Amino acid sequence: MMSLTKQIKEFALDVGYSKVGIIPADSFPEYLADITNRSEMYSFFLKGASRAAEPRSQMPAAKSIITTVYDYSQKNFPQELTDKIGRIYQARCYGAPPDRIHGARPQLMKQFLENSGCEVGIGTMVPERIAAAKAGIVNFGRNNFAYADGIGSFIYLTSFLVDQELEYDTPTLEVGCPKGCRACMDACPTQAIYEPQKLNPLRCISYNNFFRQDGLPGGSFVPYDIREKIGTKIHGCDICQEVCPRNRKNLTAPKPDDEYLTHIAKEYTLPNFLHMTDDFYQTRVQPLMHNYIKHKKYFQRNAAIALGNLADPSAVQDLTLAMADPEELVREYAAWALGKIATNKAKQVLEAARTSETALSVQQEITTALLSI
């Protein structure tokens, strides 16, 4: 008779996971120590890290962690999207809701485990990359990503806590990068990867896209030196994965197009994000990016930064309209973008806005922008 462990692994592969491994539901003291030792960088996540490091504090009956790899790089990603949106979001697999295909997969897995006699933790979290490495299904990269053999780092990890003792796998805790390789560190525009396997999230483009929000540590202000290095990235960044030699084969291999992405790509323009309507947010943004950002004004801010970095004078018209947006945050970053474009027309728009603007943050940004022209 097939063991429960083998049944679980075969089912996981059957529903589309690429790899699956199992470890005891022990704590992760090394993970928590690393986060705590760099608390000035990870203050926004200390509570979450403390919780993730102790699986049994979330589920006292937990005995095993089943961890899975999903390969989200099985289809092509349109260049007009990868310039702006991280691949994992284009793949629609990150934290997907249960009524979407990638949200249904973990639900099917949970249902199978329950039908097999397991109690499954609800709303639990573990340090996914370390758990997967301890389960032998990934190793580490110097860019802080996990790598699965035959796939690379374009993977999504999901774990399940269960109350059954299972057969456990052998860890692969090594770094698999070529000796002396610094490609990811050298390519990072903000130098967020400050040493191998050490990331300062406060400098990461993705962090500044997502977590610079009102009510979160640091608020919604994106530091000036970061803005100029974000380029056109408005939701996530893959630069440190794109330059990695371990991903070269994956990135150059012929693959079929993702017809849904091809269908919507033409609508993913920076002006459409800057002037985002509720309909665009619901029908175009939410299907891909149903996580992190819950208010459209942050996408608008990110689009304004991208337009400023392009420094294309043709964007002045769109930014002029944005200077009348009801959201203070949007007007603030539109003013910054106009200062980066720095044409006579941009200057005229800023001078006109200065006479009517009432929000202090926008007034300050207008003044700073005019000084730069």
Side-chain angles (χ1 to χ4, degrees), residues 226-265:
I226 298 292
R227 295 183 201 183
E228 296 180 351
K229 296 173 181 176
I230 283 177
T232 59
K233 306 294 187 184
I234 59 176
H235 196 83
C237 175
D238 289 332
I239 291 173
C240 67
Q241 297 184 86
E242 291 170 341
V243 301
C244 178
R246 300 175 68 188
N247 282 328
R248 188 170 298 130
K249 182 178 179 180
N250 183 309
L251 289 170
T252 58
K255 299 173 186 175
D257 290 338
D258 184 316
E259 296 301 336
Y260 176 71
L261 294 180
T262 301
H263 174 69
I264 66 172

Side-chain angles (χ1 to χ4, degrees), residues 90-333:
Q90 294 182 53
R92 291 96 72 195
C93 64
Y94 190 84
D99 61 347
R100 301 282 176 163
I101 188 67
H102 297 298
R105 185 178 296 106
Q107 294 300 314
L108 289 170
M109 190 73 186
K110 179 176 180 292
Q111 182 179 339
F112 175 83
L113 292 169
E114 290 173 338
N115 290 342
S116 300
C118 297
E119 178 186 346
V120 184
I122 298 174
T124 56
M125 59 188 297
V126 301
E128 297 284 4
R129 295 173 193 177
I130 296 178
K134 286 189 172 184
I137 57 175
V138 304
N139 57 54
F140 299 123
R142 291 195 178 100
N143 59 5
N144 296 275
F145 281 89
Y147 285 72
D149 287 344
I151 302 172
S153 65
F154 296 107
I155 55 177
Y156 181 49
L157 307 177
T158 308
S159 293
F160 305 85
L161 288 179
V162 298
D163 67 343
Q164 300 290 317
E165 287 189 1
L166 300 168
E167 300 160 38
Y168 301 128
D169 292 296
T170 303
T172 53
L173 294 169
E174 70 272 6
V175 175
C177 298
K179 185 176 180 179
C181 182
R182 291 180 48 90
C184 58
M185 299 174 67
D186 293 340
C188 179
T190 61
Q191 290 78 57
I193 309 170
Y194 61 92
E195 62 182 68
Q197 293 184 273
K198 297 294 183 185
L199 173 78
N200 180 353
L202 304 182
R203 295 196 61 80
C204 180
I205 288 175
S206 295
Y207 175 92
N208 284 276
N209 282 165
F210 308 147
F211 294 113
R212 297 293 186 185
Q213 297 185 40
D214 298 323
L216 295 180
S220 61
F221 182 80
V222 179
Y224 288 109
D225 66 319
I226 298 292
R227 295 183 201 183
E228 296 180 351
K229 296 173 181 176
I230 283 177
T232 59
K233 306 294 187 184
I234 59 176
H235 196 83
C237 175
D238 289 332
I239 291 173
C240 67
Q241 297 184 86
E242 291 170 341
V243 301
C244 178
R246 300 175 68 188
N247 282 328
R248 188 170 298 130
K249 182 178 179 180
N250 183 309
L251 289 170
T252 58
K255 299 173 186 175
D257 290 338
D258 184 316
E259 296 301 336
Y260 176 71
L261 294 180
T262 301
H263 174 69
I264 66 172
K266 61 182 179 298
E267 298 181 54
Y268 269 63
T269 67
L270 293 176
N272 279 350
F273 272 85
L274 182 65
H275 308 305
M276 187 179 294
T277 64
D278 290 341
D279 181 68
F280 185 84
Y281 179 71
Q282 292 166 5
T283 64
R284 289 295 175 256
V285 174
Q286 284 294 82
L288 269 66
M289 296 166 280
H290 38 250
N291 48 72
Y292 294 134
I293 300 179
K294 304 302 182 185
H295 195 294
K296 66 181 185 180
K297 68 180 179 181
Y298 301 112
F299 288 109
Q300 294 177 274
R301 174 201 61 194
N302 296 347
I305 292 173
L307 287 168
N309 286 329
L310 285 175
D312 184 346
S314 67
V316 170
Q317 181 177 354
D318 284 306
L319 292 166
T320 301
L321 293 174
M323 290 301 296
D325 194 278
E327 288 289 348
E328 177 181 333
L329 186 71
V330 178
R331 302 196 304 276
E332 177 184 347
Y333 284 81

